């Protein structure tokens, strides 16, 4: 428990994050916009919840035994959660990771003793994709493959923790906005909250280079372009995503995301990662379209901006992507 007076463990510190009211955006829109501060998890991201749930599930099923090794394909945050909790519980952690992620994540993994195998960015159909590489390593060595994409211990974490926390903290919720990586978050949270608030509207937000927007709109996974966001965007329907209850989808580019990232830092003192900025931008756009309605809109602040400073606060990197470092346009 975060507020406990007793000593604790990293394991027991996962979850129970604050729900922050985003004052600047609530004022601008006449809605109530809230972000769940998932960067306050001990591994500093929402994926600590999935990592804990997948380890607990594997231990309960006898798939992971003392001294064992966990292997996972990850954009980084699930690996960080597994490395952190694995270290605490005495497991070795091996991660396969695409080689274009923010260097901060590789550094954190290495510091926690994870064995990081960087792989080139290739389409999912290529056996060299980080997902297939993790599965192969598990098969070769007899390691436990967490498999966050298809392992529904992932979405179960959000059904049993993130969803109930949001309902209790927000009281009433009209709209949930969430990006999709594995789909664990949107699946678990949407299923829990729809049962609590039957009129809830669930909106998926998708970056360039991902097929989720077109899948929700047309039933076909199509995409164009690419994005500097990390940990989100996918071109297939995972077992976790398949159980999500989604009403609508929006699509946003990196410039719109970056403007919200800069706005939140400057106006609210809230320095969030790229997926969180995308989430909040979509929540804000919805609120602007329903200005003055007082609707209660919640989203996830999946991780902290400090994990991406080498990219989002790096003028050379931004220029190479034709991105402009500025906040929201004046109103
Ligand atoms: N944001 C970040 C920063 C992430 O690392 C992830 C997980 N890949 C997500 C969002 C998406 O969460 P989920 O896998 O639950 O869809």
């Amino acid at each position: 428990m975060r507020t406990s007076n007793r000593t604790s463990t990293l394991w027991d510190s996962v979850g129970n994050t604050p729900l922050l009211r985003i004052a600047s955006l609530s004022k601008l829109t006449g809605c109530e916009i809230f972000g769940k501060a998932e960067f306050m998890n001990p591994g500093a991201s929402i994926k600590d919840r999935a990592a804990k749930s997948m380890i607990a599930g594997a231990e309960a099923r006898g798939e992971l035994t003392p001294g064992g090794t966990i292997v996972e394909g990850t954009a980084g945050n699930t690996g960080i959660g597994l490395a952190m909790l694995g270290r605490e519980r005495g497991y070795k952690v091996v991660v396969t990771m695409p080689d274009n992620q923010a260097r901060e994540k590789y550094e954190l993994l290495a510091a926690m003793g994870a064995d990081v195998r960087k792989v080139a960015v290739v389409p999912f159909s290529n056996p060299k994709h980080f997902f297939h590489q993790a599965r192969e390593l598990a098969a070769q060595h007899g390691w436990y493959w967490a498999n966050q994409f298809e392992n529904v211990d992932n979405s179960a974490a959000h059904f049993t923790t993130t969803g109930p926390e949001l309902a209790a903290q927000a009281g009433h919720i009209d709209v949930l906005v969430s990006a999709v990586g594995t789909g664990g978050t949107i699946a678990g949270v949407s299923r829990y909250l729809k049962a609590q608030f039957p009129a809830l509207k669930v909106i998926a937000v998708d970056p360039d280079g991902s097929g989720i927007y077109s899948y929700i709109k047309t039933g076909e996974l199509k995409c164009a372009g690419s994005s500097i966001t990390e940990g989100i965007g996918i071109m297939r329907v995972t077992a976790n995503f398949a159980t999500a209850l989604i009403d609508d989808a929006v699509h946003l580019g990196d410039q719109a995301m970056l403007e919200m990232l800069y706005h939140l830092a400057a106006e609210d003192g809230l320095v969030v990662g790229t997926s969180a900025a995308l989430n909040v931008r979509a929540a804000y756009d919805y609120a602007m379209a329903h200005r003055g309605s007082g609707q209660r809109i919640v989203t996830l602040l999946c991780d902290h901006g400090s994990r991406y400073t080498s990219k989002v606060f790096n003028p050379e990197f931004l220029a190479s992507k034709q991105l402009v470092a500025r906040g929201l346009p004046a109103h």
Side-chain angles (χ1 to χ4, degrees), residues 21-34 259-260 263-264 267-268 270 276-277 279-285 287-288 291 297 299 301 328 331:
R21 178 177 182 272
I22 304 178
S24 71
L25 302 179
S26 299
K27 187 166 173 226
L28 280 169
T29 60
C31 292
E32 292 292 312
I33 302 180
F34 300 96
E259 286 171 13
M260 183 55 79
H263 170 93
L264 291 173
E267 300 300 323
D268 299 276
L270 195 52
N279 276 345
V280 177
R281 181 65 199 243
Y284 168 74
D285 289 350
M288 267 300 187
R291 218 170 170 157
I297 305 163
T299 193
L301 308 178
L328 293 173
H331 307 281

Side-chain angles (χ1 to χ4, degrees), residues 74-286:
T74 169
N77 280 335
T78 302
I80 290 167
L82 290 170
M84 171 186 73
L85 298 174
R87 189 45 108 211
E88 188 173 62
R89 292 172 95 71
Y91 301 120
K92 291 187 207 68
V93 174
V94 179
V95 302
T96 58
M97 223 177 128
D99 63 8
N100 64 341
Q101 303 296 292
R103 69 171 164 71
E104 289 85 342
K105 293 193 285 191
Y106 305 108
E107 290 166 355
L108 291 169
L109 283 161
M112 288 186 287
D115 174 351
V116 182
R117 318 261 176 112
K118 284 192 199 179
V119 299
V121 179
V122 292
F124 187 70
S125 54
N126 187 323
K128 296 257 183 301
H129 188 279
F130 68 87
F131 173 88
H132 304 303
Q133 292 289 301
R135 183 189 54 227
E136 265 181 37
L137 283 169
Q140 263 171 30
H141 299 279
W143 295 337
Y144 167 65
W145 177 33
N147 193 6
Q148 57 175 329
F149 294 93
E150 305 304 324
N151 179 350
V152 294
D153 289 343
N154 170 4
S155 47
H158 299 289
F159 185 83
T160 57
T161 71
T162 323
E165 289 170 31
L166 279 168
Q169 290 168 318
H172 178 77
I173 303 173
D174 296 297
V175 181
L176 166 72
V177 175
S178 177
V180 178
T182 63
T185 303
I186 200 167
V189 175
S190 69
R191 279 191 281 121
Y192 184 85
L193 291 183
K194 284 249 184 195
Q196 306 300 309
F197 311 113
L200 177 80
K201 186 171 172 133
V202 178
I203 303 173
V205 54
D206 214 29
D208 285 333
S210 175
I212 295 300
Y213 172 80
S214 88
Y215 179 76
I216 291 165
K217 291 291 195 185
T218 70
E220 258 186 283
L221 283 156
K222 282 197 187 153
C223 78
S226 65
S227 171
I228 70 160
T229 57
E230 297 188 20
I232 55 171
I234 189 159
M235 286 300 289
R236 62 189 191 277
V237 175
T238 65
N240 281 294
F241 181 72
T243 65
L245 302 173
I246 299 174
D247 300 293
D248 201 2
V250 295
H251 172 256
L252 287 172
D254 283 343
Q255 185 61 41
M257 175 281 294
L258 196 68
E259 286 171 13
M260 183 55 79
L261 193 151
Y262 274 70
H263 170 93
L264 291 173
E267 300 300 323
D268 299 276
L270 195 52
V271 182
V272 298
T274 52
S275 67
L278 195 81
N279 276 345
V280 177
R281 181 65 199 243
Y284 168 74
D285 289 350
Y286 176 92

